[in-house]
Amino acid sequence: MKIDSLGDLLAAVPALLGFYPTRSVVLLAHDEVTGRIGATARTDLEVTRSGGLRKDCRTHIAEAVGLLRRQGADRLFCVAVDDRPRERLAPALLRLLEDAARSRDAVVPDLEIIDLVLLDRMEAGERWVCRHGESGALPDPASSPLMVAAVVEGRTIHRSRADLTDQLAEEGQGIGADRCRDAADYEADGDPCELLAAVVGAVTAQRSAALSDADVALLGGALLEVTVRDAAMALALTVMADEARLLFAELARRLRGTPRAAAATLVAAGSYLRGDGPLTGIALDAALTADRHYRGAHLLAHALAAGMHPRELCITAEIGLDVARRLGVDLPPRDLGFPLAG
């Protein structure tokens, strides 16, 4: 997105993130040549009782600055959304940003912190102030061009981050790995071909009700098979990508342990491929919480931390197309309108 004013930039933040941030630090990479905003990062803004930045908050902000640097950013806007007193917060945040932006390599230039903008909440008419003393009233985020574009594209901008976390929140007692393995062995004799076919069938089915527990167990068992999981990742490149994400999110809510980690990792991968950074992070957190040793989630997390572009993940997902072909299972058609297609 190209920015024309600071107010317009602030109003676009909810559409950029996919939700209205509260008590957050939002970092926006800015291209000086094109004037456009590129990658974004957000972290919770956590303060001590006296109003200073908590140690873990400082660490997370520094990591976010490093991530954007690795993704090629050289200039950053910082937006702090917080309704608490700012006397200690603002200077501490600015010092932290400037330190994190300083290069530790003689041949790598420092990042430029263009501005630090503070406001209480992301609501129309809210007063914002920047470190240079400029201030103004926030335009209505719901009317920003980026928000309008999101609506036209069918994307939902959530009122809070909690709305996103609810998509993966555990439901009921859940179904564990043992029952999933038993279901895969009994229903499909552990055959990867049959298991992948079950996953694809669940994605393409016109369902009007939630999956039965038996279906969830079978599909959870399917995702424990690495070849099936890898092929399932390719569903994010097809015309049924949204349906696949919804299925894997439902499975993540109803499964536990390693099966939940597998389903959440697929949600993370599909979300990142489609440019949904916030849901990517939430899904990865869910995966590693369910099984902190789950290799698929660790590989994806490390790749994203190293600044992997979605196009690189697209190449990985395309391997799943080959896996499905070898297994003799037809996936839905490739989404040729997907920007990373081909």
Side-chain angles (χ1 to χ4, degrees):
M1 105 171 235
K2 188 172 182 179
I3 61 168
D4 297 317
S5 71
L6 198 48
D8 290 340
L9 170 64
L10 296 173
V13 166
L16 286 168
L17 293 180
F19 62 94
Y20 285 72
T22 58
R23 296 191 172 182
S24 300
V25 173
V26 182
L27 301 173
L28 308 166
H30 178 254
D31 188 309
E32 187 174 14
V33 177
T34 64
R36 295 181 180 277
I37 293 297
T40 63
R42 188 216 69 94
T43 187
D44 290 341
L45 184 49
E46 299 172 318
V47 300
T48 63
R49 185 173 181 179
S50 61
L53 291 172
R54 288 175 53 89
K55 182 178 179 180
D56 52 353
C57 178
R58 296 197 301 269
T59 298
H60 293 154
I61 293 172
E63 289 174 346
V65 172
L67 173 61
L68 293 178
R69 183 200 297 276
R70 290 189 294 276
Q71 291 181 342
D74 53 13
R75 308 174 81 236
L76 297 179
F77 279 103
C78 177
V79 181
V81 185
D82 198 284
D83 55 356
R84 292 166 291 191
R86 303 172 184 162
E87 288 77 9
R88 293 191 60 194
L89 174 62
L93 183 54
L94 185 57
R95 285 194 301 270
L96 172 63
L97 289 168
E98 290 176 339
D99 181 66
R102 195 170 297 117
S103 175
R104 272 60 175 175
D105 189 327
V107 299
V108 178
D110 294 346
L111 282 174
E112 179 186 355
I113 304 300
I114 306 171
D115 212 339
L116 168 61
V117 187
L118 303 103
L119 69 165
D120 286 354
R121 53 188 64 84
M122 279 287 170
E123 295 180 3
E126 191 70 31
R127 298 298 298 181
W128 57 263
V129 61
C130 73
R131 66 166 170 168
H132 302 299
E134 182 183 355
S135 65
L138 180 68
D140 188 359
S143 302
S144 77
L146 210 59
M147 184 72 79
V148 173
V151 172
V152 170
E153 293 168 3
R155 291 194 294 122
T156 299
I157 308 302
H158 299 274
R159 287 304 306 177
S160 70
R161 188 172 183 270
D163 289 346
L164 285 175
T165 58
D166 286 348
Q167 294 184 29
L168 295 170
E170 293 182 350
E171 291 181 359
Q173 293 184 341
I175 297 170
D178 288 343
R179 182 174 174 185
C180 289
R181 292 190 186 94
D182 290 344
D185 288 340
Y186 181 77
E187 297 288 342
D189 202 23
D191 181 0
C193 301
E194 288 199 34
L195 293 172
L196 178 59
V199 173
V200 174
V203 169
T204 57
Q206 299 294 319
R207 291 190 292 122
S208 60
L211 294 166
S212 68
D213 284 351
D215 289 335
V216 171
L218 173 62
L219 296 172
L223 298 186
L224 290 176
E225 172 62 48
V226 174
T227 55
V228 174
R229 183 205 64 196
D230 291 347
M233 185 183 295
L235 288 164
L237 304 178
T238 72
V239 295
M240 304 293 285
D242 290 340
E243 290 82 357
R245 181 186 57 80
L246 291 173
L247 172 69
F248 298 141
E250 180 178 352
L251 293 177
R253 291 193 299 270
R254 297 177 60 185
L255 294 167
R256 297 294 181 269
T258 304
R260 170 171 163 81
T265 299
L266 289 172
V267 174
S271 299
Y272 192 67
L273 282 167
R274 297 283 166 161
D276 191 340
L279 186 56
T280 300
I282 289 168
L284 272 179
D285 287 344
L288 292 171
T289 299
D291 182 351
R292 62 190 181 91
H293 299 297
Y294 188 62
R295 188 167 181 268
H298 278 288
L299 289 173
L300 182 57
H302 290 321
L304 299 187
M308 179 180 64
H309 190 276
R311 189 174 298 279
E312 297 175 69
L313 183 59
C314 180
I315 294 172
T316 300
E318 287 174 334
I319 295 173
L321 297 173
D322 294 332
V323 173
R325 277 192 288 268
R326 288 200 304 270
L327 292 175
V329 178
D330 293 329
L331 298 185
R334 182 77 181 261
D335 182 2
L336 298 180
F338 183 28
L340 299 180

